[in-house]
Amino acid sequence: MSACNAEEGVLITCDAPIKQFILYTDEEGRKKGSKESFVLHDLDETHLLVRKGSVPAIQAALEELQDSNAFSRVDLSGSSQPAKKGPGGKK
């Protein structure tokens, strides 16, 4: 009788650039000493199967990426205003 190893995962559907960012984050984590990859399977151009427990870390990395890409608008008086997020400036 053979043993079967099963692991619980989460299917992530995203566009190709976000998928590449997740794969990059996973690779960098392994370079920094993480024992295991959180990506279980790279399924296709827009789908990844990841370990269930890794979802909060992936969400945090994506939020950090979004925050690093948010810029302040400078009006004519020279003061800066925070960048608006989403439709109508809602966060």
Side-chain angles (χ1 to χ4, degrees), residues 12 27 32 37 42 46 56 58-59 61 66 69 73 82-83:
I12 294 180
E27 184 178 325
K32 292 179 181 177
S37 170
D42 182 351
T46 59
I58 294 169
Q59 288 174 327
Q66 286 179 328
N69 285 328
R73 179 176 70 128

Side-chain angles (χ1 to χ4, degrees), residues 38-58:
F38 58 73
V39 175
L40 296 172
H41 293 287
D42 182 351
L43 300 170
D44 62 26
E45 188 177 306
T46 59
H47 296 90
L48 288 170
L49 185 63
V50 300
R51 295 182 194 283
K52 184 178 180 181
S54 66
V55 172
I58 294 169

Side-chain angles (χ1 to χ4, degrees), residues 1 4-5 9-10 12-13 27-29 34 36-37 40 44 46-47 51 56 65 67-68 71 75 80 83 87-88:
M1 188 177 235
C4 178
N5 292 331
V10 174
I12 294 180
T13 303
E27 184 178 325
E28 288 299 305
S34 179
E36 292 185 336
S37 170
L40 296 172
D44 62 26
T46 59
H47 296 90
R51 295 182 194 283
L65 175 67
D67 290 344
S68 70
F71 300 97
D75 64 13
S80 63

